[in-house]
PDB file of all heavy atoms in Angstrom:
ATOM      1  N   LEU A 104      32.497 130.071-199.735  1.00 90.00           N
ATOM      2  CA  LEU A 104      32.275 129.276-200.950  1.00 90.00           C
ATOM      3  C   LEU A 104      33.058 127.976-200.813  1.00 90.00           C
ATOM      4  O   LEU A 104      34.266 128.003-200.660  1.00 90.00           O
ATOM      5  CB  LEU A 104      32.765 130.044-202.179  1.00 90.00           C
ATOM      6  CG  LEU A 104      32.612 129.306-203.510  1.00 90.00           C
ATOM      7  CD1 LEU A 104      31.149 129.245-203.927  1.00 90.00           C
ATOM      8  CD2 LEU A 104      33.428 129.975-204.607  1.00 90.00           C
ATOM      9  N   PRO A 105      32.367 126.836-200.848  1.00 87.00           N
ATOM     10  CA  PRO A 105      33.095 125.565-200.749  1.00 87.00           C
ATOM     11  C   PRO A 105      33.981 125.383-201.976  1.00 87.00           C
ATOM     12  O   PRO A 105      33.480 125.365-203.100  1.00 87.00           O
ATOM     13  CB  PRO A 105      31.986 124.510-200.728  1.00 87.00           C
ATOM     14  CG  PRO A 105      30.701 125.244-200.635  1.00 87.00           C
ATOM     15  CD  PRO A 105      30.928 126.638-201.085  1.00 87.00           C
ATOM     16  N   MET A 106      35.281 125.280-201.748  1.00 86.00           N
ATOM     17  CA  MET A 106      36.182 125.207-202.891  1.00 86.00           C
ATOM     18  C   MET A 106      36.008 123.898-203.654  1.00 86.00           C
ATOM     19  O   MET A 106      36.452 123.773-204.793  1.00 86.00           O
ATOM     20  CB  MET A 106      37.629 125.410-202.432  1.00 86.00           C
ATOM     21  CG  MET A 106      37.913 126.830-201.950  1.00 86.00           C
ATOM     22  SD  MET A 106      37.260 128.148-203.010  1.00 86.00           S
ATOM     23  CE  MET A 106      38.562 128.319-204.217  1.00 86.00           C
ATOM     24  N   GLU A 107      35.324 122.925-203.019  1.00 84.00           N
ATOM     25  CA  GLU A 107      35.020 121.679-203.746  1.00 84.00           C
ATOM     26  C   GLU A 107      34.236 121.980-205.019  1.00 84.00           C
ATOM     27  O   GLU A 107      34.355 121.284-206.018  1.00 84.00           O
ATOM     28  CB  GLU A 107      34.169 120.740-202.879  1.00 84.00           C
ATOM     29  CG  GLU A 107      34.909 120.150-201.692  1.00 84.00           C
ATOM     30  CD  GLU A 107      34.746 120.991-200.438  1.00 84.00           C
ATOM     31  OE1 GLU A 107      34.646 122.237-200.566  1.00 84.00           O
ATOM     32  OE2 GLU A 107      34.706 120.429-199.335  1.00 84.00           O
ATOM     33  N   LEU A 108      33.401 123.010-204.944  1.00 86.00           N
ATOM     34  CA  LEU A 108      32.608 123.358-206.124  1.00 86.00           C
ATOM     35  C   LEU A 108      33.506 123.853-207.250  1.00 86.00           C
ATOM     36  O   LEU A 108      33.294 123.555-208.413  1.00 86.00           O
ATOM     37  CB  LEU A 108      31.589 124.447-205.780  1.00 86.00           C
ATOM     38  CG  LEU A 108      30.419 124.040-204.902  1.00 86.00           C
ATOM     39  CD1 LEU A 108      29.548 125.250-204.603  1.00 86.00           C
ATOM     40  CD2 LEU A 108      29.598 122.960-205.584  1.00 86.00           C
ATOM     41  N   VAL A 109      34.499 124.649-206.850  1.00 86.00           N
ATOM     42  CA  VAL A 109      35.382 125.245-207.840  1.00 86.00           C
ATOM     43  C   VAL A 109      36.301 124.186-208.453  1.00 86.00           C
ATOM     44  O   VAL A 109      36.592 124.209-209.644  1.00 86.00           O
ATOM     45  CB  VAL A 109      36.208 126.378-207.195  1.00 86.00           C
ATOM     46  CG1 VAL A 109      37.216 126.943-208.181  1.00 86.00           C
ATOM     47  CG2 VAL A 109      35.280 127.464-206.678  1.00 86.00           C
ATOM     48  N   SER A 110      36.726 123.238-207.615  1.00 84.00           N
ATOM     49  CA  SER A 110      37.675 122.238-208.117  1.00 84.00           C
ATOM     50  C   SER A 110      36.972 120.960-208.562  1.00 84.00           C
ATOM     51  O   SER A 110      37.620 119.986-208.910  1.00 84.00           O
ATOM     52  CB  SER A 110      38.709 121.918-207.033  1.00 84.00           C
ATOM     53  OG  SER A 110      38.049 121.358-205.919  1.00 84.00           O
ATOM     54  N   SER A 111      35.653 121.003-208.574  1.00 83.00           N
ATOM     55  CA  SER A 111      34.881 119.827-208.978  1.00 83.00           C
ATOM     56  C   SER A 111      35.245 119.389-210.393  1.00 83.00           C
ATOM     57  O   SER A 111      35.534 120.197-211.262  1.00 83.00           O
ATOM     58  CB  SER A 111      33.393 120.162-208.908  1.00 83.00           C
ATOM     59  OG  SER A 111      32.657 119.343-209.778  1.00 83.00           O
ATOM     60  N   LYS A 112      35.206 118.086-210.595  1.00 82.00           N
ATOM     61  CA  LYS A 112      35.546 117.564-211.919  1.00 82.00           C
ATOM     62  C   LYS A 112      34.361 117.646-212.871  1.00 82.00           C
ATOM     63  O   LYS A 112      34.480 117.358-214.057  1.00 82.00           O
ATOM     64  CB  LYS A 112      35.963 116.106-211.792  1.00 82.00           C
ATOM     65  CG  LYS A 112      37.414 115.903-211.427  1.00 82.00           C
ATOM     66  CD  LYS A 112      37.908 114.626-212.106  1.00 82.00           C
ATOM     67  CE  LYS A 112      39.382 114.378-211.963  1.00 82.00           C
ATOM     68  NZ  LYS A 112      40.230 115.552-212.053  1.00 82.00           N
ATOM     69  N   SER A 113      33.194 117.988-212.332  1.00 85.00           N
ATOM     70  CA  SER A 113      32.012 117.948-213.186  1.00 85.00           C
ATOM     71  C   SER A 113      31.395 119.315-213.445  1.00 85.00           C
ATOM     72  O   SER A 113      30.765 119.524-214.479  1.00 85.00           O
ATOM     73  CB  SER A 113      30.969 117.022-212.562  1.00 85.00           C
ATOM     74  OG  SER A 113      30.825 117.313-211.195  1.00 85.00           O
ATOM     75  N   ILE A 114      31.573 120.230-212.523  1.00 89.00           N
ATOM     76  CA  ILE A 114      30.896 121.518-212.706  1.00 89.00           C
ATOM     77  C   ILE A 114      31.632 122.360-213.756  1.00 89.00           C
ATOM     78  O   ILE A 114      32.834 122.581-213.666  1.00 89.00           O
ATOM     79  CB  ILE A 114      30.788 122.276-211.370  1.00 89.00           C
ATOM     80  CG1 ILE A 114      29.918 121.466-210.410  1.00 89.00           C
ATOM     81  CG2 ILE A 114      30.179 123.651-211.578  1.00 89.00           C
ATOM     82  CD1 ILE A 114      29.752 122.083-209.049  1.00 89.00           C
ATOM     83  N   VAL A 115      30.885 122.827-214.716  1.00 91.00           N
ATOM     84  CA  VAL A 115      31.461 123.577-215.825  1.00 91.00           C
ATOM     85  C   VAL A 115      31.096 125.062-215.717  1.00 91.00           C
ATOM     86  O   VAL A 115      31.887 125.941-216.009  1.00 91.00           O
ATOM     87  CB  VAL A 115      30.956 122.994-217.165  1.00 91.00           C
ATOM     88  CG1 VAL A 115      31.390 123.859-218.328  1.00 91.00           C
ATOM     89  CG2 VAL A 115      31.478 121.570-217.328  1.00 91.00           C
ATOM     90  N   ILE A 116      29.875 125.313-215.279  1.00 94.00           N
ATOM     91  CA  ILE A 116      29.435 126.683-215.060  1.00 94.00           C
ATOM     92  C   ILE A 116      28.946 126.810-213.625  1.00 94.00           C
ATOM     93  O   ILE A 116      28.095 126.027-213.192  1.00 94.00           O
ATOM     94  CB  ILE A 116      28.294 127.061-216.025  1.00 94.00           C
ATOM     95  CG1 ILE A 116      28.763 126.986-217.484  1.00 94.00           C
ATOM     96  CG2 ILE A 116      27.777 128.468-215.716  1.00 94.00           C
ATOM     97  CD1 ILE A 116      27.673 127.270-218.503  1.00 94.00           C
ATOM     98  N   LEU A 117      29.489 127.750-212.895  1.00 94.00           N
ATOM     99  CA  LEU A 117      29.066 127.961-211.509  1.00 94.00           C
ATOM    100  C   LEU A 117      28.706 129.429-211.329  1.00 94.00           C
ATOM    101  O   LEU A 117      29.548 130.313-211.484  1.00 94.00           O
ATOM    102  CB  LEU A 117      30.195 127.565-210.553  1.00 94.00           C
ATOM    103  CG  LEU A 117      29.948 127.818-209.060  1.00 94.00           C
ATOM    104  CD1 LEU A 117      28.735 127.043-208.563  1.00 94.00           C
ATOM    105  CD2 LEU A 117      31.182 127.426-208.235  1.00 94.00           C
ATOM    106  N   ASP A 118      27.443 129.683-211.057  1.00 95.00           N
ATOM    107  CA  ASP A 118      26.987 131.061-210.838  1.00 95.00           C
ATOM    108  C   ASP A 118      26.360 131.164-209.455  1.00 95.00           C
ATOM    109  O   ASP A 118      25.266 130.655-209.219  1.00 95.00           O
ATOM    110  CB  ASP A 118      25.974 131.454-211.926  1.00 95.00           C
ATOM    111  CG  ASP A 118      25.643 132.948-211.912  1.00 95.00           C
ATOM    112  OD1 ASP A 118      25.937 133.609-210.892  1.00 95.00           O
ATOM    113  OD2 ASP A 118      25.093 133.444-212.917  1.00 95.00           O
ATOM    114  N   VAL A 119      27.094 131.781-208.532  1.00 94.00           N
ATOM    115  CA  VAL A 119      26.552 131.995-207.183  1.00 94.00           C
ATOM    116  C   VAL A 119      26.453 133.494-206.907  1.00 94.00           C
ATOM    117  O   VAL A 119      26.500 133.940-205.764  1.00 94.00           O
ATOM    118  CB  VAL A 119      27.411 131.312-206.097  1.00 94.00           C
ATOM    119  CG1 VAL A 119      27.287 129.804-206.188  1.00 94.00           C
ATOM    120  CG2 VAL A 119      28.872 131.745-206.202  1.00 94.00           C
TER     121      VAL A 119
END
Side-chain angles (χ1 to χ4, degrees):
L104 179 72
M106 291 315 275
E107 291 92 327
L108 289 177
V109 176
S110 62
S111 155
K112 276 213 173 321
S113 47
I114 297 179
V115 173
I116 298 177
L117 176 60
D118 190 343
V119 290

